[in-house]
């Protein structure tokens, strides 16, 4: 081959490659940017929203039901008003890259414009005259452009459309169509979405989403400017693009970005080009976490330099108060800080509405400890409330509003008071004393992400360099109180376990990404929500007062405790064979509730219960050696109730014992004798349970009498100043406590028998009384507690129906045809696994908190049923007594 010919071929190849890349560069996005009005907040380009099925992941997530995509997909249905021929519309839309632009109409409503590409002239001919017979068609001209307006037979406008440069442009709103005409005749440079994203070649993706960050507020709960989530999203660019790959083979769906300019939020100045680092602290994250936020940088020296530079210029009232109390010692909080900060928002229950745990990586706790003690003591407004110990951990109470904000900035607001401990390598801060103690219990019992199959491997990829991460547990997040007024995405929450949102900083650009991870262990339809009888255990006579069904919180295993005629304690833990084994000798049948907790504080659970004159703690070690601890009351009156409470020094729990004479006793440790709780007052008509109230340095117990007198007792049994409080009306249930959203501190709450919701401050003043809806004169109200007193719910009952009510008095659901004397129980296994059981006429029915009946049959039982929940299998176990048998049933929930 001649040299000239070779040169010619090489030049041709070069020009071909150059032409290809030039074509791809100028090709840009497939969105109809030329016609989109500049006030668009969201722009979508997709080839698949018109498809009958558009799914991803092994769980079959319907992408058309995701935020924003659902609105775009729903707007496609207006084409049915043009032609009733579904097959014709399908052929018309098939394979086309359709664009959608969103325009704000009100705070809650979008106006959407569709831009549908047209082919040959014949394809658009039928659009000039819609064939629907029940609509009226009019035309008008706007800037020499013909616009078709479609209305119903009553002349109410339905939608408008026009044909513009081989596009069908259609919207429910005619004024938006006119905006398109204006836009196509102008070159609006201020349209930032177009300016930033119109040149992105997105045809390789199935769907592309372009938006201003403000758009998220309309679909994501808690994204207000002042919320933690609202602060977190300020780290993301103001203009974002997300692209969905065509593949649907993975168990996770990822929406990736091509990058945007770095935002000006203060955390950006800490990050710069410092890469992120993998996560290794799974054992420090409680399974109660619903929102998890993390900032982590690999180069600690560079981070520290940038952090100190920012902190020097950051002014706050909290930092000024810290300086006032301890002066230059405040520098210890800066000098020992590592390059990782984690904020966990915990699941909400009826007592705790905004629990937060902040983990700050700190070295050299021994150096910080004297400073923490000093700051807690000097900031305290009362004596003996600055420090405490819980399960061997120091706890400090800092009466400095928004102390974490003063240390780490506005991302870490929401701490009216700060409670601090240290669990290496993190300084652990909380906005609530009870939340911090719950966190310690979870950490000690290994109820953490390290033991969770959904979370034990998140963020561990060594290749991950995202400095900012957020993980949302969808089941727990959707149970937060304010989500009731927010749009629900049922397909997302039903099929996805978590949402992982990351933000990677690289030079002057930021690359956000969203990953949706499907739930594991998808259950077949023939098994899901079906009731199965696992086993019958022959038991002709039951001697105990109730069923003792216990569960190990670490592995979810369950067992039944029973006593025989000779008072041998029998255990059935093999729920396949029903085999029983004798593990201890008692002096009578079990007459109280039974519990399984680490009462001895040795890293395993003991079984705790009472007979009529003794309380027992039964321990079993790894070699199945049984050790029995028992104590008698300093009273001849028989035991009638046993209440589990927390706040113990040596163990995670203590127990309150009630006898027939309405006397209360406390068992604080297996090695300590039982002591009488109060000798200064004689109680009458105590409503169960006695509730513990934990404040650092000032623990207490809430005791409620049927006559409406509420006491708060200290640990030594003395009555707190301001109590008892007399609500001057009868109550059918105990008062409990809840977190005041304004102060973050606890307050007492309860309901009278007639439905008056009453709140009481800790100084004994009634702060509010509100009458709840009472549709029938015979309706009675009560607070129903989980048997472990972990949570509570309000119940309104009448002769034939029962209503479940939130702590704020809003009705969740009502069950009709309930027989008189029905037994209503509340079962709490975490905020995303709460159940109501109603025992009526020797049958019990189970409901979730939406009122949905669980299982396909009622459970026969002559006594109140008990539930346990196996989180690893999403399985509910039901223990019942029927026809001389103990029966174990199961329902697979997910």
């Amino acid at each position: 081959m001649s040299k000239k010919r070779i040169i010619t071929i090489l030049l041709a190849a070069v020009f071909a490659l150059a032409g290809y890349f030039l074509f791809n560069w100028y090709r840009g996005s497939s969105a109809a940017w030329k016609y989109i009005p500049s006030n668009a907040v969201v722009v979508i380009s997709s080839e698949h929203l018109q498809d009958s099925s558009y799914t991803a992941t092994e769980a079959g997530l319907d992408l058309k039901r995701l935020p924003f995509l659902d609105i775009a997909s729903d707007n496609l249905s207006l084409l049915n008003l043009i032609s009733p021929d579904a097959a014709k519309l399908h052929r018309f839309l098939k394979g086309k890259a359709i664009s959608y632009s969103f325009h704000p109409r009100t705070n809650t409503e979008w106006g959407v414009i569709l831009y549908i590409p047209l082919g040959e002239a014949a394809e658009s001919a039928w659009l000039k005259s819609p064939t629907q017979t029940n609509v009226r068609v009019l035309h008008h001209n706007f800037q020499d452009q013909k616009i078709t307006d479609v209305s119903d037979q009553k002349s109410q406008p339905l939608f408008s459309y026009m044909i513009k440069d081989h596009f069908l442009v259609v919207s429910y709103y005619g004024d938006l169509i006119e905006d398109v005409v204006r836009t196509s005749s102008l070159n609006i440079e201020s349209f930032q979405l177009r300016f930033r994203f119109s040149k992105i070649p997105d045809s390789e993706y199935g769907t592309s989403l372009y938006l201003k960050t403000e758009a998220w507020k309309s679909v994501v709960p808690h994204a207000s400017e002042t919320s933690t989530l609202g602060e977190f999203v300020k780290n993301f660019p103001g203009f974002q693009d997300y692209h969905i790959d065509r593949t649907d083979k993975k168990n996770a769906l990822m929406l990736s970005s091509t990058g945007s300019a770095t935002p000006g939020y203060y955390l950006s100045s800490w990050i710069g080009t410092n890469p992120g680092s993998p996560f290794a602290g799974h054992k420090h994250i409680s399974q109660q976490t619903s929102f998890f936020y993390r900032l982590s940088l690999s180069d600690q020296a560079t981070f520290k330099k940038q952090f100190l530079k920012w902190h020097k210029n950051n002014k706050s009232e909290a930092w000024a108060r810290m300086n006032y109390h301890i002066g230059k010692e405040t520098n210890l909080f800066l000098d020992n800080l590592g390059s990782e900060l984690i904020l966990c928002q915990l699941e909400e229950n009826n007592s705790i509405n905004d629990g937060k745990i902040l983990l700050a990586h700190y070295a050299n706790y021994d150096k910080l400890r004297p400073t923490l003690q000093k700051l807690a003591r000097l900031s305290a407004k009362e004596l003996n409330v600055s420090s405490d110990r819980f399960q061997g951990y120091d706890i400090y109470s800092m009466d400095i509003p928004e102390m974490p904000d003063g240390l780490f900035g506005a991302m870490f607001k929401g701490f009216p008071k700060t409670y601090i401990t240290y669990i290496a390598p993190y300084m652990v801060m909380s906005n609530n004393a009870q939340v911090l103690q719950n966190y310690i219990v979870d950490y000690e019992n290994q109820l953490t992400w390290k033991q969770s199959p959904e979370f034990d491997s998140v963020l561990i990829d060594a290749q991950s360099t995202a400095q900012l991460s957020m993980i949302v547990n969808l089941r727990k997040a959707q149970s937060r109180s304010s989500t009731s007024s927010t749009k629900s995405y049922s397909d997302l929450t039903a099929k996805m376990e978590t949402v992982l949102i990351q933000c990677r900083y690289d030079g002057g650009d930021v690359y956000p990404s969203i990953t949706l991870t499907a739930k594991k262990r998808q259950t077949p339809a023939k098994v899901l929500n079906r009731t199965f009888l696992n086993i019958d255990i022959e038991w002709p006579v039951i001697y105990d007062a109730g069923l003792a069904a216990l569960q190990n919180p670490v592995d979810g295993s369950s067992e039944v405790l029973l006593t025989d005629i000779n008072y041998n304690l029998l255990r059935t833990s093999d729920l396949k064979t029903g085999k029983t084994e004798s593990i201890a000798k008692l002096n009578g049948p079990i007459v109280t509730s039974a519990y399984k907790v680490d009462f001895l504080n040795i890293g395993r659970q003991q079984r705790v219960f009472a007979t009529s004159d003794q309380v027992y703690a039964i321990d079993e070690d790894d070699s199945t050696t049984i050790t029995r601890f028992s104590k008698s009351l300093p009273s001849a009156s028989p035991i009638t109730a046993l209440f589990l409470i927390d706040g113990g020094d040596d163990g995670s729990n203590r127990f309150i014992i009630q006898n027939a004479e309405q006397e209360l006793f406390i068992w604080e440790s297996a090695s300590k004798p039982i002591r009488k709780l109060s000798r200064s007052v004689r109680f009458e008509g105590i409503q169960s349970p006695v509730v513990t109230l934990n404040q650092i340095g000032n623990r207490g117990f809430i005791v409620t009498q049927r006559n409406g007198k509420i006491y708060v007792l200290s640990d030594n049994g003395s009555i707190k100043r301001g109590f008892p409080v007399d609500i001057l009306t009868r109550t059918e249930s105990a008062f409990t406590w809840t977190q005041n959203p304004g102060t973050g501190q606890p307050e007492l709450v309860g309901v009278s028998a007639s439905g008056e919701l009453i709140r009481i401050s800790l100084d004994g003043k009634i702060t509010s009384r509100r009458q709840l809806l009472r549709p029938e004169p015979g309706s009675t109200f009560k607070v129903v507690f989980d048997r472990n007193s972990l949570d509570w719910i309000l119940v309104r009952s009448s002769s034939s129906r029962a209503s479940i009510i939130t702590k704020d008095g809003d009705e969740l659901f009502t069950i009709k045809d309930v027989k008189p004397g029905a037994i209503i129980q509340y079962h709490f296994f975490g905020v995303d696994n709460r159940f109501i059981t109603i025992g009526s006429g020797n049958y019990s029915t189970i409901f979730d908190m939406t009122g949905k009946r669980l299982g396909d049959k009622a459970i026969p039982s002559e006594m109140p049923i008990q539930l346990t929940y196996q989180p690893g299998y999403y399985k509910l176990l039901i223990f019942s007594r029927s026809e001389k048998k103990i029966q174990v049933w199961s329902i697979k929930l997910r």
Side-chain angles (χ1 to χ4, degrees):
M1 186 180 295
S2 68
K3 184 177 180 181
K4 183 177 181 180
R5 184 172 175 79
I6 291 174
I7 293 173
T8 302
I9 292 173
L10 289 174
L11 285 173
V14 170
F15 282 123
L17 286 172
Y20 171 78
F21 288 113
L22 192 63
F23 170 76
N24 277 274
W25 175 258
Y26 283 107
R27 180 179 58 179
S29 170
S30 58
W33 292 106
K34 178 181 177 181
Y35 309 99
I36 297 175
S38 60
N39 67 339
V41 178
V42 180
V43 173
I44 297 173
S45 174
S46 177
E47 300 176 3
H48 298 294
L49 297 186
Q50 67 271 38
D51 295 349
S52 57
S53 176
Y54 185 26
T55 60
T57 78
E58 295 171 359
L61 174 66
D62 185 359
L63 300 184
K64 294 191 291 184
R65 294 297 92 201
L66 293 180
F68 301 120
L69 302 186
D70 61 334
I71 300 173
S73 177
D74 290 344
N75 270 262
L76 275 171
S77 62
L78 64 80
L79 295 177
N80 295 323
L81 299 174
I82 299 178
S83 172
D85 189 341
K88 184 176 183 179
L89 286 175
H90 174 72
R91 292 192 300 271
F92 172 65
L93 297 174
K94 185 177 181 181
K96 291 183 175 180
I98 302 175
S99 301
Y100 312 79
S101 63
F102 291 52
H103 306 267
R105 306 290 291 186
T106 66
N107 288 335
T108 58
E109 183 182 22
W110 296 103
V112 179
I113 308 174
L114 284 66
Y115 311 82
I116 305 171
L118 299 175
E120 66 278 3
E123 190 177 42
S124 60
W126 63 280
L127 295 170
K128 297 177 181 178
S129 180
T131 55
Q132 283 279 22
T133 58
N134 58 345
V135 298
R136 301 178 62 187
V137 179
L138 298 173
H139 305 281
H140 77 276
N141 287 324
F142 181 79
Q143 294 185 3
D144 297 327
Q145 173 68 52
K146 180 181 177 181
I147 298 176
T148 302
D149 302 302
V150 181
S151 60
D152 61 18
Q153 296 295 334
K154 297 180 180 179
S155 297
Q156 296 293 321
L158 296 175
F159 64 95
S160 298
Y161 69 90
M162 70 177 178
I163 297 173
K164 179 73 173 176
D165 299 341
H166 305 293
F167 276 96
L168 170 63
V169 183
V170 57
S171 176
Y172 283 112
Y173 303 98
D175 60 308
L176 291 181
I177 300 296
E178 293 181 354
D179 285 345
V180 173
V181 177
R182 295 187 190 96
T183 299
S184 60
S185 62
L186 299 171
N187 186 15
I188 303 176
E189 297 294 337
S190 62
F191 185 15
Q192 291 295 315
L193 281 176
R194 178 200 297 177
F195 173 75
R196 294 173 182 272
F197 301 123
S198 61
K199 293 182 179 179
I200 293 176
D202 58 15
S203 59
E204 61 188 84
Y205 303 105
T207 298
S208 296
L209 176 66
Y210 307 93
L211 53 83
K212 296 179 181 179
T213 187
E214 64 198 57
W216 288 114
K217 297 176 187 175
S218 65
V219 295
V220 179
H222 315 292
S224 66
E225 288 292 329
T226 57
S227 69
T228 302
L229 180 55
E231 291 291 334
F232 179 77
V233 298
K234 292 177 183 178
N235 298 292
F236 286 66
F239 300 89
Q240 302 167 24
D241 65 314
Y242 297 96
H243 307 277
I244 301 175
D245 200 340
R246 292 178 184 275
T247 181
D248 60 353
K249 301 298 184 183
K250 302 176 183 177
N251 196 49
L253 174 70
M254 184 171 182
L255 286 72
S256 57
S257 171
T258 60
S260 296
T262 301
Y265 195 57
Y266 79 95
L267 291 183
S268 303
S269 66
W270 300 4
I271 297 171
T273 58
N274 196 347
S277 61
F279 181 50
H282 297 79
K283 69 178 182 180
H284 292 272
I285 309 303
S286 167
Q287 289 186 23
Q288 296 182 47
T289 302
S290 59
F291 287 81
F292 167 95
Y293 307 87
R294 179 175 183 252
L295 164 72
S296 182
L297 302 169
S298 58
D299 189 335
Q300 184 167 329
T302 302
F303 161 75
K304 189 171 182 179
K305 179 180 178 181
Q306 296 300 113
F307 171 74
L308 292 176
K309 180 180 178 181
W310 166 83
H311 203 281
K312 183 178 180 181
N313 299 317
N314 184 54
K315 307 297 181 184
S316 72
E317 179 63 27
W319 185 249
R321 286 195 61 185
M322 291 175 66
N323 270 296
Y324 172 78
H325 290 305
I326 59 175
K328 291 184 178 180
E329 289 185 61
T330 54
N331 290 329
L332 291 173
F333 290 97
L334 308 180
D335 296 338
N336 293 280
L337 177 65
S339 57
E340 183 181 33
L341 289 170
I342 297 169
L343 181 64
C344 299
Q345 288 181 277
L346 304 185
E347 62 184 25
E348 289 187 353
N349 59 35
N350 286 317
S351 292
I352 299 170
N353 55 52
D354 188 28
K356 294 180 180 178
I357 291 289
L358 170 58
L359 304 174
H361 196 290
Y362 269 95
N364 207 341
Y365 173 62
D366 290 338
K367 183 182 290 186
L368 278 168
R369 186 175 181 179
T371 300
L372 288 169
Q373 291 175 332
K374 182 178 179 180
L375 183 59
R377 185 179 69 255
L378 294 176
S379 66
K381 296 177 181 177
E382 301 176 47
L383 296 175
N384 302 319
V385 296
S386 62
S387 63
D388 207 338
R389 286 182 67 81
F390 182 76
Q391 290 204 45
Y393 293 92
D394 298 322
I395 297 180
Y396 305 102
S397 174
M398 305 294 181
D399 198 358
I400 299 175
E402 304 298 352
M403 178 178 168
D405 179 7
L407 285 169
F408 312 120
M411 174 72 196
F412 304 94
K413 288 181 178 178
F415 290 73
K417 288 183 71 172
T418 304
Y419 302 89
I420 299 177
T421 190
Y422 186 83
I423 302 178
Y426 298 110
M427 183 184 291
V428 184
M429 308 181 185
S430 180
N431 63 346
N432 183 283
Q434 184 69 58
V435 168
L436 184 59
Q437 291 176 110
N438 291 349
Y439 172 84
I440 292 173
V441 170
D442 285 353
Y443 176 80
E444 286 293 315
N445 289 329
Q446 303 178 54
L447 301 178
T448 67
W449 280 12
K450 188 174 178 63
Q451 308 299 324
S452 169
E454 286 82 20
F455 296 94
D456 58 0
S457 59
V458 296
L459 301 178
I460 65 172
D461 185 359
Q463 303 301 316
S464 175
T465 55
Q467 297 90 341
L468 290 164
S469 305
M470 179 180 80
I471 299 174
V472 182
N473 183 317
L474 287 170
R475 290 179 290 111
K476 295 182 184 297
Q478 68 178 330
S479 65
R480 296 179 70 87
S481 58
S482 63
T483 58
S484 58
S485 59
T486 307
K487 186 173 182 179
S488 126
Y489 294 94
S490 56
D491 199 65
L492 179 64
T493 54
K495 296 179 178 178
M496 296 293 106
E497 186 70 38
T498 58
V499 176
L500 167 61
I501 301 175
Q502 292 182 285
C503 198
R504 178 172 60 87
Y505 284 66
D506 188 2
D509 291 325
V510 181
Y511 299 86
S513 65
I514 302 173
T515 303
L516 307 175
T517 304
K519 291 179 178 177
K520 298 180 180 179
R521 302 187 182 97
Q522 294 293 308
T523 303
K526 65 180 180 181
V527 177
L528 187 64
N529 205 31
R530 300 286 189 270
T531 305
F532 294 96
L533 177 60
N534 289 22
I535 196 170
D536 281 323
I537 303 171
E538 293 288 343
W539 204 260
V541 180
I542 189 164
Y543 301 95
D544 305 316
L547 289 173
L550 305 181
Q551 181 174 20
N552 186 324
V554 177
D555 61 16
S557 60
S558 301
E559 63 182 15
V560 185
L561 298 182
L562 298 161
T563 55
D564 62 16
I565 192 171
N566 298 314
Y567 308 142
N568 294 307
L569 179 66
L570 306 179
R571 174 186 62 187
T572 301
S573 56
D574 187 343
L575 300 184
K576 292 183 179 180
T577 66
K579 179 182 177 181
T580 60
E581 56 181 324
S582 178
I583 60 173
K585 180 76 173 179
L586 308 180
N587 69 349
I590 300 172
V591 300
T592 66
S593 297
Y595 306 93
K596 194 170 187 179
V597 293
D598 187 6
F599 181 48
L600 302 179
N601 196 25
I602 56 176
R604 60 177 180 263
Q605 285 75 35
Q606 293 78 47
R607 305 159 184 87
V608 183
F609 50 83
T611 62
S612 61
D613 57 1
Q614 277 193 319
V615 289
Y616 290 86
I618 309 295
D619 179 61
E620 182 178 9
D621 64 16
D622 295 337
S623 61
T624 68
T625 300
I626 303 293
T627 305
R628 189 188 73 172
F629 301 86
S630 62
K631 296 290 180 182
S632 299
L633 294 189
S635 166
S637 180
I639 296 170
T640 57
L642 181 70
F643 307 124
L644 173 68
I645 60 173
D646 55 17
D649 289 324
D650 299 328
S652 60
N653 298 99
R654 299 176 290 173
F655 293 89
I656 294 289
I657 305 154
Q658 180 180 334
N659 67 10
E661 296 294 325
Q662 300 288 289
E663 295 175 303
L664 296 177
F665 303 84
I666 184 167
W667 192 20
E668 297 178 288
S669 169
S671 61
K672 293 181 180 180
I674 295 172
R675 64 178 175 86
K676 193 170 184 179
L677 184 60
S678 177
R679 300 182 183 277
S680 61
V681 61
R682 183 175 180 83
F683 298 109
E684 57 182 55
I686 295 175
Q687 299 289 56
S688 298
V690 173
V691 179
T692 181
L693 179 65
N694 277 314
Q695 291 180 282
I696 301 301
N698 190 18
R699 297 194 185 105
F701 308 98
I702 304 171
V703 183
T704 307
Q705 295 187 160
R706 181 180 175 86
N707 61 9
K709 286 188 176 181
I710 296 96
Y711 293 82
V712 175
L713 308 179
S714 66
D715 257 4
N716 61 14
S718 62
I719 301 173
K720 186 176 174 63
R721 181 178 299 176
F723 290 88
V725 172
D726 193 344
I727 63 172
L728 303 177
T729 183
R730 178 173 56 89
T731 178
E732 294 289 336
S733 57
F735 268 59
T736 182
W737 66 274
T738 188
Q739 183 182 9
N740 184 302
T743 65
Q745 299 306 301
E747 63 182 2
L748 273 58
V749 62
V751 66
S752 70
S754 59
E756 197 174 21
L757 187 63
I758 301 170
R759 296 180 183 273
I760 304 171
S761 65
L762 290 185
D763 57 3
K765 292 182 172 58
I766 296 177
T767 57
S768 72
R769 305 179 77 115
R770 180 164 67 93
Q771 178 63 47
L772 302 179
L773 176 65
R774 195 182 189 201
E776 301 176 54
S779 296
T780 59
F781 294 76
K782 66 189 304 184
V783 177
V784 177
F785 291 81
D786 165 69
R787 68 170 173 170
N788 293 319
S789 298
L790 296 175
D791 198 27
W792 51 274
I793 200 78
L794 296 175
V795 174
R796 181 182 69 227
S797 303
S798 66
S799 58
S800 62
R801 63 179 62 196
S803 298
I804 310 303
I805 302 172
T806 69
K807 66 174 182 178
D808 299 315
D810 300 322
E811 185 174 310
L812 291 173
F813 63 93
T814 296
I815 303 300
K816 300 179 181 179
D817 301 323
V818 176
K819 293 184 178 181
I823 298 173
I824 302 173
Q825 298 181 90
Y826 178 45
H827 309 267
F828 181 85
F829 304 103
V831 72
D832 51 337
N833 289 298
R834 300 177 294 166
F835 310 99
I836 297 291
T837 58
I838 299 181
S840 178
N842 285 344
Y843 282 89
S844 292
T845 309
I846 307 167
F847 302 91
D848 67 14
M849 300 309 289
T850 67
K852 175 186 174 183
R853 175 176 163 173
L854 301 180
D856 55 0
K857 64 184 71 174
I859 305 296
S861 188
E862 299 150 11
M863 58 198 316
I865 64 173
Q866 295 296 336
L867 304 184
T868 64
Y869 181 69
Q870 295 179 318
Y873 300 95
Y874 308 134
K875 183 183 288 187
L876 196 63
L877 296 181
I878 306 105
F879 299 83
S880 66
R881 155 83 176 177
S882 179
E883 297 180 349
K884 299 182 180 181
K885 298 176 182 178
I886 304 297
Q887 297 179 317
V888 184
W889 307 76
S890 65
I891 301 174
K892 195 73 178 294
L893 299 180
R894 288 187 282 129

